[in-house]
Protein backbone atom coordinates (compact mmCIF):
# COMPACT_ATOMS: atom_id res chain seq x y z
CA UNK A 1 0.00 0.00 0.00
CA UNK A 2 2.87 2.36 0.80
CA UNK A 3 4.31 1.99 -2.69
CA UNK A 4 0.90 2.61 -4.26
CA UNK A 5 0.42 5.81 -2.26
CA UNK A 6 3.89 7.01 -3.17
CA UNK A 7 3.92 6.19 -6.91
CA UNK A 8 0.24 6.76 -7.70
CA UNK A 9 -0.51 9.74 -5.44
CA UNK A 10 2.43 11.61 -3.91
CA UNK A 11 4.90 11.50 -6.82
CA UNK A 12 2.35 12.47 -9.55
CA UNK A 13 1.01 15.27 -7.33
CA UNK A 14 4.55 16.60 -6.88
CA UNK A 15 4.80 17.28 -10.62
CA UNK A 16 1.99 19.84 -10.42
CA UNK A 17 2.86 23.56 -10.34
CA UNK A 18 3.20 25.03 -6.88
CA UNK A 19 0.16 27.30 -7.27
CA UNK A 20 -1.99 24.23 -8.02
CA UNK A 21 -0.63 22.44 -4.95
CA UNK A 22 -1.40 25.51 -2.84
CA UNK A 23 -4.96 25.33 -4.19
CA UNK A 24 -5.16 21.68 -3.14
CA UNK A 25 -3.74 22.67 0.24
CA UNK A 26 -6.44 25.29 0.68
CA UNK A 27 -9.09 22.69 -0.18
CA UNK A 28 -7.58 20.31 2.37
CA UNK A 29 -7.68 23.15 4.89
CA UNK A 30 -11.40 23.59 4.35
CA UNK A 31 -12.00 19.86 4.70
CA UNK A 32 -9.47 19.10 7.43
CA UNK A 33 -10.27 22.12 9.59
CA UNK A 34 -13.94 22.91 9.00
CA UNK A 35 -15.28 19.41 8.30
CA UNK A 36 -13.15 16.91 10.19
CA UNK A 37 -11.47 19.26 12.67
CA UNK A 38 -8.13 17.42 12.42
CA UNK A 39 -6.56 17.63 15.90
CA UNK A 40 -8.37 20.92 16.44
CA UNK A 41 -8.82 20.26 20.14
CA UNK A 42 -5.10 19.54 20.59
CA UNK A 43 -4.10 22.66 18.67
CA UNK A 44 -6.49 24.91 20.56
CA UNK A 45 -5.41 23.53 23.95
CA UNK A 46 -1.74 23.95 23.05
CA UNK A 47 -2.21 27.56 21.96
CA UNK A 48 -4.50 28.42 24.87
CA UNK A 49 -1.98 27.02 27.36
CA UNK A 50 0.93 28.84 25.71
CA UNK A 51 -0.80 32.23 25.65
CA UNK A 52 -2.94 32.28 28.82
CA UNK A 53 -3.57 36.03 28.55
CA UNK A 54 -5.18 35.80 25.13
CA UNK A 55 -8.92 36.12 24.66
CA UNK A 56 -10.93 33.33 23.06
CA UNK A 57 -11.11 35.40 19.88
CA UNK A 58 -7.32 35.73 19.74
CA UNK A 59 -6.86 32.00 20.30
CA UNK A 60 -9.39 31.12 17.61
CA UNK A 61 -7.75 33.50 15.12
CA UNK A 62 -4.34 31.94 15.80
CA UNK A 63 -5.77 28.44 15.37
CA UNK A 64 -7.07 29.40 11.92
CA UNK A 65 -3.76 31.02 10.96
CA UNK A 66 -1.90 27.87 11.99
CA UNK A 67 -4.13 25.54 9.97
CA UNK A 68 -3.85 27.68 6.83
CA UNK A 69 -0.06 27.58 7.16
CA UNK A 70 -0.07 23.87 8.08
CA UNK A 71 -1.82 22.88 4.85
CA UNK A 72 0.37 25.26 2.83
CA UNK A 73 3.45 23.52 4.22
CA UNK A 74 1.87 20.15 3.42
CA UNK A 75 1.54 21.28 -0.21
CA UNK A 76 5.19 22.40 -0.20
CA UNK A 77 6.28 19.07 1.24
CA UNK A 78 4.46 17.16 -1.51
CA UNK A 79 6.37 19.22 -4.08
CA UNK A 80 9.63 18.03 -2.49
CA UNK A 81 9.17 14.55 -3.96
CA UNK A 82 10.26 15.93 -7.34
CA UNK A 83 11.83 19.30 -6.46
CA UNK A 84 15.39 19.74 -7.77
CA UNK A 85 18.27 20.42 -5.41
CA UNK A 86 18.78 23.84 -6.99
CA UNK A 87 15.17 24.81 -6.29
CA UNK A 88 15.41 23.69 -2.65
CA UNK A 89 18.32 26.12 -2.21
CA UNK A 90 16.29 28.90 -3.83
CA UNK A 91 13.42 28.14 -1.46
CA UNK A 92 15.57 27.86 1.65
CA UNK A 93 18.86 29.71 1.85
CA UNK A 94 21.23 29.70 4.80
CA UNK A 95 22.25 33.25 5.64
CA UNK A 96 25.54 32.49 7.38
CA UNK A 97 26.97 29.06 6.51
CA UNK A 98 30.44 30.56 6.84
CA UNK A 99 30.14 30.22 10.64
CA UNK A 100 30.87 26.49 10.42
CA UNK A 101 33.54 26.76 7.70
CA UNK A 102 36.44 27.03 10.22
CA UNK A 103 35.24 23.85 11.93
CA UNK A 104 34.98 22.01 8.62
CA UNK A 105 38.49 23.16 7.65
CA UNK A 106 39.80 21.91 10.98
CA UNK A 107 38.09 18.55 10.61
CA UNK A 108 35.63 19.19 13.44
CA UNK A 109 31.99 18.17 13.45
CA UNK A 110 29.26 20.37 14.91
CA UNK A 111 25.77 19.90 16.32
CA UNK A 112 22.83 22.07 15.27
CA UNK A 113 19.58 22.28 17.22
CA UNK A 114 16.39 22.80 15.24
CA UNK A 115 12.65 22.50 15.78
CA UNK A 116 9.38 21.68 14.04
CA UNK A 117 9.13 25.31 13.03
CA UNK A 118 8.36 26.53 9.48
CA UNK A 119 9.09 24.01 6.70
CA UNK A 120 12.00 22.03 8.09
CA UNK A 121 11.62 19.47 5.25
CA UNK A 122 12.64 22.01 2.59
CA UNK A 123 15.46 23.15 4.84
CA UNK A 124 16.82 19.63 5.25
CA UNK A 125 16.98 19.03 1.49
CA UNK A 126 18.69 22.37 0.89
CA UNK A 127 21.46 22.11 3.46
CA UNK A 128 23.85 19.66 1.80
CA UNK A 129 25.04 22.01 -0.94
CA UNK A 130 25.15 25.02 1.41
CA UNK A 131 27.66 23.50 3.82
CA UNK A 132 30.58 22.48 1.58
CA UNK A 133 33.15 20.21 3.14
CA UNK A 134 30.67 18.80 5.65
CA UNK A 135 28.30 15.86 5.71
CA UNK A 136 24.83 17.00 6.80
CA UNK A 137 23.16 14.39 9.00
CA UNK A 138 19.57 14.76 10.19
CA UNK A 139 18.35 12.73 13.17
CA UNK A 140 14.75 11.59 12.78
CA UNK A 141 12.08 9.30 14.25
CA UNK A 142 11.24 6.44 11.83
CA UNK A 143 7.65 6.06 10.64
CA UNK A 144 5.70 3.03 11.81
CA UNK A 145 4.97 2.08 8.18
CA UNK A 146 8.32 0.62 7.08
CA UNK A 147 7.63 1.03 3.35
CA UNK A 148 6.73 4.71 3.65
CA UNK A 149 9.67 5.20 6.00
CA UNK A 150 12.09 3.83 3.37
CA UNK A 151 10.54 5.91 0.58
CA UNK A 152 10.51 9.16 2.54
CA UNK A 153 14.03 8.52 3.85
CA UNK A 154 15.24 7.99 0.26
CA UNK A 155 13.59 11.25 -0.81
CA UNK A 156 15.16 13.16 2.07
CA UNK A 157 18.58 11.83 1.11
CA UNK A 158 18.44 12.39 -2.65
CA UNK A 159 20.11 15.84 -2.46
CA UNK A 160 23.01 14.58 -0.35
CA UNK A 161 21.67 15.10 3.16
CA UNK A 162 21.74 11.90 5.20
CA UNK A 163 19.10 10.95 7.73
CA UNK A 164 19.67 8.69 10.70
CA UNK A 165 17.19 6.94 12.96
CA UNK A 166 17.30 8.25 16.51
CA UNK A 167 17.77 4.61 17.55
CA UNK A 168 21.19 4.56 15.89
CA UNK A 169 22.57 7.86 17.17
CA UNK A 170 24.75 6.29 19.85
CA UNK A 171 26.40 3.99 17.32
CA UNK A 172 26.88 6.85 14.87
CA UNK A 173 28.68 9.04 17.40
CA UNK A 174 30.82 6.16 18.61
CA UNK A 175 32.00 5.45 15.07
CA UNK A 176 33.04 9.13 14.80
CA UNK A 177 33.26 9.51 11.00
CA UNK A 178 36.47 11.07 9.71
CA UNK A 179 34.65 13.55 7.45
CA UNK A 180 33.39 16.52 9.49
CA UNK A 181 29.61 16.64 9.80
CA UNK A 182 26.79 18.95 10.75
CA UNK A 183 24.51 16.78 12.89
CA UNK A 184 21.02 18.24 13.01
CA UNK A 185 18.70 17.42 15.94
CA UNK A 186 15.03 18.42 15.77
CA UNK A 187 14.75 18.62 19.53
CA UNK A 188 11.25 19.84 20.39
CA UNK A 189 9.54 16.44 20.49
CA UNK A 190 7.59 15.28 23.51
CA UNK A 191 9.98 12.91 25.33
CA UNK A 192 7.22 10.59 26.55
CA UNK A 193 9.23 7.39 27.06
CA UNK A 194 11.91 8.70 29.39
CA UNK A 195 12.07 8.72 33.18
CA UNK A 196 11.42 12.22 34.52
CA UNK A 197 14.89 12.51 36.08
CA UNK A 198 16.58 11.91 32.70
CA UNK A 199 14.89 14.96 31.18
CA UNK A 200 15.68 18.65 31.25
CA UNK A 201 12.71 20.50 32.79
CA UNK A 202 12.19 24.21 32.39
CA UNK A 203 9.55 26.92 32.05
CA UNK A 204 8.59 27.17 28.38
CA UNK A 205 5.58 28.92 26.82
CA UNK A 206 3.96 29.64 30.18
CA UNK A 207 4.20 26.10 31.56
CA UNK A 208 6.61 23.51 32.90
CA UNK A 209 8.03 21.56 29.97
CA UNK A 210 10.45 18.68 29.53
CA UNK A 211 13.17 18.50 26.87
CA UNK A 212 15.33 15.62 25.74
CA UNK A 213 18.80 15.81 27.26
CA UNK A 214 20.47 13.62 24.62
CA UNK A 215 21.75 16.28 22.19
CA UNK A 216 23.55 18.13 24.98
CA UNK A 217 25.09 14.91 26.27
CA UNK A 218 26.42 14.11 22.79
CA UNK A 219 27.81 17.64 22.45
CA UNK A 220 29.63 17.37 25.78
CA UNK A 221 30.79 13.77 25.41
CA UNK A 222 32.17 14.28 21.90
CA UNK A 223 33.19 17.92 22.33
CA UNK A 224 31.09 19.18 19.41
CA UNK A 225 30.47 22.93 18.99
CA UNK A 226 26.75 23.72 19.14
CA UNK A 227 24.54 26.05 17.09
CA UNK A 228 20.85 26.87 17.10
CA UNK A 229 19.34 26.89 13.61
CA UNK A 230 16.46 29.34 13.24
CA UNK A 231 14.09 29.19 10.30
CA UNK A 232 11.71 31.91 9.20
CA UNK A 233 9.44 32.42 6.21
CA UNK A 234 10.39 35.30 3.90
CA UNK A 235 7.35 34.83 1.71
CA UNK A 236 5.04 31.98 0.82
CA UNK A 237 7.17 28.91 0.09
CA UNK A 238 10.51 30.67 0.70
CA UNK A 239 12.52 30.42 3.92
CA UNK A 240 15.71 31.72 5.48
CA UNK A 241 17.80 29.66 7.90
CA UNK A 242 20.32 31.23 10.22
CA UNK A 243 22.94 29.75 12.53
CA UNK A 244 23.18 31.13 16.07
CA UNK A 245 26.30 30.10 18.04
CA UNK A 246 25.56 28.47 21.39
CA UNK A 247 29.02 27.31 22.43
CA UNK A 248 32.30 26.36 20.79
CA UNK A 249 33.46 24.50 23.90
CA UNK A 250 30.54 22.47 25.30
CA UNK A 251 32.68 20.79 27.95
CA UNK A 252 33.27 24.20 29.52
CA UNK A 253 29.56 25.04 29.87
CA UNK A 254 27.50 24.51 32.99
CA UNK A 255 25.33 21.37 32.93
CA UNK A 256 22.02 22.16 31.22
CA UNK A 257 23.25 25.37 29.59
CA UNK A 258 22.98 24.06 26.02
CA UNK A 259 19.47 22.61 26.37
CA UNK A 260 18.25 25.67 28.24
CA UNK A 261 19.64 27.94 25.52
CA UNK A 262 17.77 25.92 22.89
CA UNK A 263 14.53 26.24 24.85
CA UNK A 264 14.94 30.00 25.22
CA UNK A 265 15.79 30.58 21.54
CA UNK A 266 12.89 28.44 20.34
CA UNK A 267 10.54 30.24 22.70
CA UNK A 268 11.69 33.59 21.29
CA UNK A 269 10.89 32.39 17.75
CA UNK A 270 7.44 31.13 18.72
CA UNK A 271 6.56 34.32 20.62
CA UNK A 272 7.68 36.37 17.61
CA UNK A 273 5.48 34.37 15.26
CA UNK A 274 3.48 31.42 16.65
CA UNK A 275 1.95 30.39 13.32
CA UNK A 276 4.67 28.12 11.82
CA UNK A 277 5.25 25.94 14.90
CA UNK A 278 3.75 22.44 14.72
CA UNK A 279 0.91 22.90 17.20
CA UNK A 280 -0.60 19.51 16.26
CA UNK A 281 2.13 17.83 18.33
CA UNK A 282 0.95 16.67 21.74
CA UNK A 283 3.91 18.49 23.23
CA UNK A 284 2.66 18.39 26.81
CA UNK A 285 0.90 15.01 26.77
CA UNK A 286 3.05 13.51 29.54
CA UNK A 287 2.11 16.24 31.99
CA UNK A 288 4.49 17.32 34.72
CA UNK A 289 6.10 14.75 36.97
CA UNK A 290 5.44 15.76 40.61
CA UNK A 291 9.12 15.23 41.37
CA UNK A 292 10.11 17.59 38.53
CA UNK A 293 7.69 20.26 39.72
CA UNK A 294 9.19 20.03 43.19
CA UNK A 295 12.76 20.04 41.85
CA UNK A 296 12.22 23.07 39.61
CA UNK A 297 11.39 25.65 42.28
CA UNK A 298 11.62 28.53 39.83
CA UNK A 299 14.58 27.33 37.76
CA UNK A 300 15.46 24.62 35.28
CA UNK A 301 15.90 21.05 36.51
CA UNK A 302 19.11 19.57 35.11
CA UNK A 303 19.36 15.76 34.88
CA UNK A 304 22.05 14.31 37.16
CA UNK A 305 23.50 12.52 34.12
CA UNK A 306 24.79 15.86 32.82
CA UNK A 307 27.35 15.87 35.61
CA UNK A 308 28.52 12.38 34.72
CA UNK A 309 28.91 13.19 31.04
CA UNK A 310 30.81 16.40 31.77
CA UNK A 311 33.43 14.53 33.78
CA UNK A 312 34.18 11.91 31.11
CA UNK A 313 37.32 12.40 29.01
CA UNK A 314 36.53 13.64 25.46
CA UNK A 315 35.67 10.79 23.10
CA UNK A 316 38.12 10.70 20.20
CA UNK A 317 37.47 7.31 18.58
CA UNK A 318 38.69 7.62 15.02
CA UNK A 319 41.41 10.10 15.97
CA UNK A 320 41.51 13.42 17.77
CA UNK A 321 39.83 16.29 16.03
CA UNK A 322 42.07 19.10 14.96
CA UNK A 323 41.76 22.45 16.75
CA UNK A 324 40.26 25.42 14.94
CA UNK A 325 42.81 27.23 12.86
CA UNK A 326 43.87 30.60 14.23
Amino acid sequence: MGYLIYYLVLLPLSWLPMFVLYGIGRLLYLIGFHVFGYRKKVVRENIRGSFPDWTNEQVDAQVRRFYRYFFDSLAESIKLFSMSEAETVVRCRVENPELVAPFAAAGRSVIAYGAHYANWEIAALSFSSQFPGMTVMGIYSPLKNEVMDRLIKANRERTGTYVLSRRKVEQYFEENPVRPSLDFFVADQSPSNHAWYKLHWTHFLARTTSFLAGPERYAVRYDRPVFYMSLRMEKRGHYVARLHPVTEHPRETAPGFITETFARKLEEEILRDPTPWLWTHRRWKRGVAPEAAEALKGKAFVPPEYERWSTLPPATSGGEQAPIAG
Side-chain angles (χ1 to χ4, degrees):
M1 180 61 72
Y3 287 111
L4 290 177
I5 293 174
Y6 179 78
Y7 287 107
L8 297 183
V9 180
L10 295 177
L11 192 58
L13 281 175
S14 74
W15 297 331
L16 295 172
M18 198 65 247
F19 74 89
V20 176
L21 288 173
Y22 278 136
I24 294 173
R26 189 48 51 94
L27 177 62
L28 292 175
Y29 160 71
L30 294 174
I31 297 172
F33 178 71
H34 292 287
V35 179
F36 293 104
Y38 171 70
R39 292 201 174 186
K40 188 187 292 187
K41 182 179 179 181
V42 173
V43 171
R44 197 178 194 286
E45 288 178 350
N46 281 345
I47 293 175
R48 161 59 69 198
S50 299
F51 300 96
D53 296 333
W54 281 10
T55 64
N56 289 334
E57 290 75 16
Q58 288 175 302
V59 171
D60 290 340
Q62 183 57 57
V63 169
R64 289 191 295 271
R65 283 193 294 270
F66 163 72
Y67 274 99
R68 284 194 291 269
Y69 174 77
F70 175 77
F71 285 104
D72 264 9
S73 66
L74 179 62
E76 294 164 5
S77 296
I78 290 174
K79 187 66 177 176
L80 290 177
F81 287 104
S82 62
M83 187 180 290
S84 69
E85 181 178 0
E87 187 174 353
T88 66
V89 175
V90 169
R91 289 186 172 274
C92 182
R93 61 183 176 86
V94 181
E95 279 188 328
N96 55 348
E98 68 279 359
L99 289 189
V100 299
F103 300 98
R108 296 187 68 187
S109 297
V110 304
I111 286 176
Y113 271 88
H116 291 94
Y117 189 90
N119 198 322
W120 66 91
E121 294 285 358
I122 290 180
L125 265 68
S126 74
F127 284 165
S128 182
S129 59
Q130 298 189 71
F131 293 100
M134 303 190 87
T135 297
V136 178
M137 176 69 75
I139 314 300
Y140 84 112
S141 296
L143 300 175
K144 292 181 180 179
N145 186 306
E146 293 184 6
V147 172
M148 287 303 297
D149 182 65
R150 285 198 299 271
L151 291 169
I152 291 178
K153 181 177 184 292
N155 183 68
R156 286 169 168 170
E157 292 185 331
R158 64 185 174 82
T159 61
T161 295
Y162 294 93
V163 295
L164 179 73
S165 167
R166 59 181 174 81
R167 303 185 186 101
K168 298 180 179 180
V169 175
E170 189 79 39
Q171 177 186 349
Y172 167 74
F173 276 90
E174 281 296 325
E175 290 174 350
N176 195 19
V178 175
R179 178 179 170 86
S181 61
L182 186 152
D183 301 316
F184 192 80
F185 286 85
V186 177
D188 59 336
Q189 303 95 325
S190 175
S192 56
N193 296 322
H194 293 71
W196 77 269
Y197 55 84
K198 292 186 177 181
L199 302 173
H200 182 106
W201 293 84
T202 189
H203 298 284
F204 175 77
L205 292 179
R207 69 191 92 184
T208 301
T209 306
S210 58
F211 285 85
L212 289 165
E216 175 164 347
R217 290 202 299 271
Y218 289 122
V220 172
R221 176 74 176 97
Y222 298 94
D223 201 26
R224 300 261 177 110
V226 180
F227 293 83
Y228 175 76
M229 178 77 80
S230 65
L231 187 63
R232 61 179 173 83
M233 185 170 65
E234 272 191 319
K235 59 182 179 179
R236 197 181 197 187
H238 291 78
Y239 301 87
V240 176
R242 184 172 183 82
L243 290 164
H244 303 263
V246 175
T247 178
E248 184 178 330
H249 303 288
R251 296 183 64 82
E252 298 176 8
T253 61
F257 169 80
I258 295 172
T259 308
E260 187 68 20
T261 300
F262 166 68
R264 300 281 69 80
K265 288 187 175 295
L266 175 58
E267 186 177 55
E268 288 174 11
E269 278 200 274
I270 296 170
L271 293 176
R272 176 182 55 83
D273 183 5
T275 300
W277 199 42
L278 192 60
W279 293 100
T280 53
H281 267 195
R282 291 185 171 91
R283 184 65 182 81
W284 292 277
K285 65 182 179 182
R286 71 173 290 143
V288 181
E291 300 92 340
E294 175 64 22
L296 273 168
K297 293 188 181 302
K299 60 181 181 179
F301 170 76
V302 177
E305 284 192 347
Y306 276 155
E307 295 287 354
R308 181 175 66 84
W309 279 86
S310 64
T311 57
L312 289 171
T316 55
S317 57
E320 286 196 24
Q321 294 181 326
I324 297 177

